[in-house]
Amino acid sequence: MDISKLINNKVSDHIIHGIDLLFFAIVISIKVIVYATQISPDYLYIKVFYPIVASILILVSFAALFKGKKRMKFLYIMDIIVSIILVADIMYYRYFKDILTVSEIGNARLLGGVSSSVGSLFNIKDILYFVDIIVLSFFIRKFNKKTPSYTPTLLKRFLTFIFIFIIGFCIDVKSVYAVSQEQPTLLSSMSNRIYLTKLIGNLNFHAIDAYNFVSTKAKNLEPLSDERKTEITNFLKSNNQYTTTDLKGSMEGKNVIMIQVEALQQFVINQKINGQEITPNLNRWLGKSLYFDNYFYQVAGGTTADAEFMSNNSLYPSISGAAYYNYSGDTLSSLAKELKDKNYYTAALHGNTEGFWNRNVMYRTESFDKFYGKSSLNSNEIVGLGISDRSFLNQSIEKLKSFKQPYYSFIITLSSHYPYDDVKHYGNFNVGEYEGTLMGNYLKAIHYTDEQLGTFLDKLDNDGITKNSVIVLYGDHFAIPKTNADQLFKFEGTTNTNDLNWINYQKVPLMIHFPDDKNSGVNHTYSGQMDLYPTLANLLNLPKNYMLGQDMLNTSANNKKVIFRDGSFTDGKTYYCSSTNTYYDIQTGKTIQETPELKNKKVEYSNELTYSDDILNHNLLKTLENK
Ligand code: GP9
Ligand code: MN
């Protein structure tokens, strides 16, 4: 063999050797990018190319570990898997305007409509994702018959793997790190899947979703011991025993209209800016309702969804991620479930895409008969993330009127959502010196939402619906994040910015309106979102077997407590801040030493959090309900 032929052969061998990897990388990149343009017209922006390519490089690096035929097979199988994922995502997107997750595949039975109409979601063009797979199958058959002219050594293959993997991994880590800096809880809570996919690409999204799913499952593999089960059952039994029976059963058979208001915080209630009330309508309605003014939000990584979860189940949010994802396959004794057992019709209404916060799955788990989300409502006016509160609440009234009575309607507003920058829709509320700031925009947003809520509540009144209904309204969580604490402290004129002062502003109003404005007044009980369901269960005569919160109307003064997910707590006299292990006397505002009594409380309360985790991680209600 002549020498030049030999050299040429070596070079072409190298090129041929790498061509399958290159081909795979290009084809998959094209598919992921085409997919990206399909799921959202505004999807593509240059930053997302990096994580998309990085995730594909990681796949390629693993392929480089194999030799000839095996490598080809590996790439071919990867191509099939990635194409199936992309098509499944597109089909899911057509229905839910969101991205499929492992938990949803696991809970496919909960998706109802979508699983029965899979065929109608498939578009003939989707076959294009599989064209290369069909064509390649012929090549692969041919290739398999040939003996490869060049086989790299294990060392060479390993070095190629390391080289490609490190490049892909570093780019990926950079993108994922940027997300974790911008929105620290987004990667574990996966609240906004479309947005996350826009930042890190489809393949990375699925890798992180799978990791979250597996790590939660792995944590729960160990079964609960019988002693632990007995301990939890005993606690549940003792938790909702009361000596008084205030207002017990007084609302039995009435419609329940529960409104969760986005980012409604207590500090705007009965407050003025530039001489104008910020929330004139809510102030008026709170005046003719039972108003709890020491009511805390207790949300964790699941923010809005955690507020929903606690208010409907009286169980604590997940320690990481969101209960609406982690526990969407659990058996729950939710408010909707218990009301359904009493022949109520139950519906949830929210003007955003159905998959946001996994609501489409979770509302079924929580036994709602129907979920009216964005696709079943009219999107005639959009503010921020979804349908404007004006349009949404108008549509909600019409829905309520069509429901069979008695009903439970759970209504979640949206327009006053952080960062409150859709200001052109909020009207001309003059916020004076706060103009152009986050606080100023929030005041405008909440003033707008207040106006819509006022119209909504007044309509309910004029239509006589209030006569036959109990109306519950509360804020879901903070409006001003801790990173902007200075704006909140400035608004409140506070110079002392310690943890006690911060928590003091982390209250949300809770209003319970009774027919004919009965039972109106201000209740100063220290309480929180965990306590809403037991309180309503008392009013509606529902069982209280699996609740970790307390009935606010019947808990004695020395048993009151609000436990936060991080182990902090308050009982109205003391506030314990777990992150600094500091106790504050609420009255004096001073720090105090830990006493044996406080230490006991600290241990007892953190135990209660673990009861909730065990109940949910081990789906304990399923076992207990079947007993
Ligand atoms: C979206 C809405 C917002 O549908 O409920 O959730 P949040 O970001 O406030 O947790
Ligand atoms: Mn929210």
Side-chain angles (χ1 to χ4, degrees), residues 260 262-263 303-304 417 476-477:
Q260 178 171 302
E262 178 58 40
T303 47
T304 305
H417 191 274
D476 63 351
H477 53 73

Short mmCIF file of all heavy atoms in Angstrom, two decimals, residues 260 262-263 303-304 417 476-477, ligand 2:
data_model
loop_
_atom_site.label_atom_id
_atom_site.label_comp_id
_atom_site.label_asym_id
_atom_site.label_seq_id
_atom_site.Cartn_x
_atom_site.Cartn_y
_atom_site.Cartn_z
N GLN A 260 -58.83 33.52 46.46
CA GLN A 260 -57.42 33.70 46.84
C GLN A 260 -56.87 34.82 45.98
O GLN A 260 -56.87 34.73 44.75
CB GLN A 260 -56.64 32.40 46.62
CG GLN A 260 -55.17 32.56 46.95
CD GLN A 260 -54.41 31.23 46.94
OE1 GLN A 260 -54.75 30.31 47.66
NE2 GLN A 260 -53.38 31.14 46.14
N GLU A 262 -54.00 37.25 44.53
CA GLU A 262 -52.57 37.26 44.24
C GLU A 262 -51.89 38.43 44.97
O GLU A 262 -52.30 39.59 44.83
CB GLU A 262 -52.36 37.38 42.72
CG GLU A 262 -50.91 37.46 42.28
CD GLU A 262 -50.07 36.27 42.71
OE1 GLU A 262 -50.56 35.14 42.65
OE2 GLU A 262 -48.91 36.50 43.12
N ALA A 263 -50.87 38.09 45.75
CA ALA A 263 -49.98 39.07 46.40
C ALA A 263 -50.72 40.15 47.20
O ALA A 263 -50.26 41.29 47.26
CB ALA A 263 -49.06 39.71 45.37
N THR A 303 -45.13 28.88 46.63
CA THR A 303 -45.87 30.16 46.75
C THR A 303 -47.40 30.04 46.55
O THR A 303 -48.08 29.50 47.41
CB THR A 303 -45.24 31.24 45.83
OG1 THR A 303 -45.00 30.69 44.55
CG2 THR A 303 -43.93 31.72 46.43
N THR A 304 -47.93 30.54 45.44
CA THR A 304 -49.39 30.54 45.25
C THR A 304 -49.98 29.15 45.47
O THR A 304 -51.00 28.99 46.15
CB THR A 304 -49.74 30.94 43.80
OG1 THR A 304 -49.14 32.18 43.53
CG2 THR A 304 -51.22 31.05 43.60
N HIS A 417 -49.80 40.32 40.04
CA HIS A 417 -48.64 39.43 40.17
C HIS A 417 -47.33 40.19 39.97
O HIS A 417 -47.22 41.04 39.09
CB HIS A 417 -48.74 38.29 39.14
CG HIS A 417 -47.75 37.19 39.36
ND1 HIS A 417 -46.47 37.23 38.87
CD2 HIS A 417 -47.86 36.04 40.07
CE1 HIS A 417 -45.83 36.13 39.25
NE2 HIS A 417 -46.65 35.39 39.97
N ASP A 476 -52.51 35.45 49.06
CA ASP A 476 -51.76 34.19 48.99
C ASP A 476 -50.37 34.28 49.65
O ASP A 476 -49.93 33.37 50.33
CB ASP A 476 -51.67 33.65 47.56
CG ASP A 476 -50.92 34.56 46.58
OD1 ASP A 476 -50.59 35.70 46.94
OD2 ASP A 476 -50.68 34.11 45.44
N HIS A 477 -49.68 35.39 49.46
CA HIS A 477 -48.31 35.50 49.98
C HIS A 477 -47.81 36.93 49.82
O HIS A 477 -48.55 37.81 49.38
CB HIS A 477 -47.38 34.53 49.25
CG HIS A 477 -47.43 34.66 47.75
ND1 HIS A 477 -46.88 35.71 47.08
CD2 HIS A 477 -48.00 33.87 46.81
CE1 HIS A 477 -47.10 35.57 45.78
NE2 HIS A 477 -47.78 34.46 45.59
MN MN B 2 -49.10 34.18 43.90
#
